[in-house]
Amino acid sequence: MIRLYPEALPMVSIDLHCHSTASDGVLSPTDLVLRAASRGVQVLALTDHDDTAGLEEARAACADRGIRLVNGVEISVSWRQQTVHVVGLGIDPRVPALAQGLASVRAGREARARRIADALAKCGIRGGLEGAYAFAANPRLIGRTHFARFLVAQGHVKEMKDVFRKYLARGKPGYVSHQWASLAEAAGWIAAAGGVAVIAHPGRYPLSGAEFAELFSEFRDLGGGGIEVVTSSHNREQSLKFAREAQRFGLLASRGSDFHGPGESHCDLGALPELPPACLPLWQHRALH
Ligand code: AMP
Ligand code: MN
Ligand code: MN
Ligand code: MN
């Protein structure tokens, strides 16, 4: 992963992207909030993959500590053969359209997990399915990170950063293709739940300039509201590039660490540079107020 560029932290510490044990994070929602508080985070969005199960506990933990919790989720989407993550912020997790949509994505994850385990078995690694579930604190939400922790624990690879490169990334023996939600579905579920949709870490998608333009205009036409401009996945150049893209497509600029856990993430909660100048910050969106 790319290292963050050193810059001053903003006056108000806002982190709109992180994970708990409700998906593939290491910390429980409570421990995540305690860590955020100790690091001076004032506005925090919990954005677990395809599940909102951690929000209630996170809200209770935030209440006493003067942190404002933004209800979030990170939805897995397939757009033209490419996996794209769409963060929903300021959502009401009880809205049936969203809850049912996320349940359908999770069902797809279960089926994919069986196929990943079969693929790993073909290269001699047995017990992958049970092994991955043993690392999933939320049995409704299984993902590649849980397989990665299993493979590290079994000694197949030394470190988390090697396991995707060797086994789980596209083209590797444990990778299987998968059809996630459509961009229109994800945007629709988030809108129905009263939230604002944000394209997560665009710098991670291997798209051409023309394809990015198509993604962002299609997303905006579907009611999408923002782009993650500052994220641990971006270097400074990428943040500047996507700040320009946000302006060009009339989208707001978001900022989130994508923290998964101490030891697994090089960017800690709230440890992010400010948005580049001239960005319209996503936290001004009405869904967050
Ligand atoms: P999934 O949604 O189950 O396909 O898993 C995607 C998750 O795997 C991401 O949210 C990250 O937490 C993790 N991940 C993906 N690629 C890498 C990588 N190269 N190194 C470490 N973690 C990764
Ligand atoms: Mn993840
Ligand atoms: Mn993501
Ligand atoms: Mn994430």
Side-chain angles (χ1 to χ4, degrees):
M1 273 217 207
I2 298 147
R3 292 236 156 254
L4 280 173
Y5 46 97
E7 237 172 52
L9 295 175
M11 299 294 283
V12 178
S13 182
I14 297 171
D15 191 334
L16 298 179
H17 188 153
C18 67
H19 297 270
S20 75
T21 46
S23 65
D24 60 358
V26 172
L27 303 180
S28 70
T30 300
D31 289 341
L32 188 77
V33 167
L34 291 176
R35 188 178 184 96
S38 76
R39 299 189 46 82
V41 174
Q42 290 156 294
V43 181
L44 180 72
L46 175 60
T47 56
D48 276 306
H49 297 285
D50 307 314
D51 204 324
T52 58
L55 293 176
E56 206 177 318
E57 185 186 319
R59 181 160 300 280
C62 278
D64 299 335
R65 294 178 181 82
I67 298 184
R68 194 151 66 77
L69 182 78
V70 174
N71 282 340
V73 67
E74 182 175 15
I75 304 180
S76 311
V77 160
S78 293
W79 185 80
R80 301 191 186 173
Q81 322 295 328
Q82 183 61 48
T83 298
V84 168
H85 286 173
V86 176
V87 164
L89 297 171
I91 49 160
D92 178 349
R94 298 164 303 185
V95 168
L98 175 65
Q100 287 161 15
L102 296 180
S104 72
V105 178
R106 291 194 300 269
R109 281 184 171 277
E110 281 176 34
R112 182 188 68 150
R114 286 192 290 275
R115 291 188 291 126
I116 292 175
D118 291 345
L120 288 173
K122 287 204 181 93
C123 61
I125 298 168
R126 318 233 155 250
L129 192 64
E130 302 71 28
Y133 271 102
F135 284 91
N138 173 3
R140 320 198 290 192
L141 196 291
I142 188 76
R144 281 186 294 165
T145 309
H146 305 113
F147 280 92
R149 292 183 186 136
F150 162 73
L151 290 167
V152 172
Q154 291 287 300
H156 294 288
V157 275
K158 257 217 244 102
E159 284 185 74
M160 281 295 280
K161 67 176 167 59
D162 301 324
V163 68
F164 280 85
R165 202 165 45 78
K166 275 197 177 156
Y167 287 102
L168 299 174
R170 184 179 273 194
K172 302 301 166 181
Y175 181 85
V176 300
S177 66
H178 184 68
Q179 194 66 35
W180 300 104
S182 70
L183 190 63
E185 285 171 324
W189 300 336
I190 292 165
V196 54
V198 178
I199 299 282
H201 44 62
R204 285 171 63 155
Y205 313 135
L207 301 176
S208 69
E211 287 169 325
F212 270 121
E214 284 158 10
L215 171 65
F216 294 143
S217 61
E218 190 178 323
F219 180 64
R220 187 200 47 209
D221 292 348
L222 290 167
I227 298 178
E228 274 183 357
V229 165
V230 172
T231 145
S232 58
S233 298
H234 289 175
N235 60 23
R236 179 171 176 74
E237 248 162 56
Q238 289 172 308
S239 292
L240 294 171
K241 168 186 167 178
F242 290 109
R244 286 192 299 272
E245 297 285 76
Q247 275 180 301
R248 176 174 163 209
F249 291 96
L251 294 161
L252 301 172
S254 191
R255 175 175 181 275
S257 62
D258 207 359
F259 180 76
H260 281 70
E264 283 195 15
S265 298
H266 63 81
C267 176
D268 213 322
L269 291 162
L272 290 158
E274 291 212 58
L275 289 178
C279 281
L280 292 173
L282 190 108
W283 40 95
Q284 290 176 1
H285 193 280
R286 61 185 151 68
L288 272 68
H289 293 275

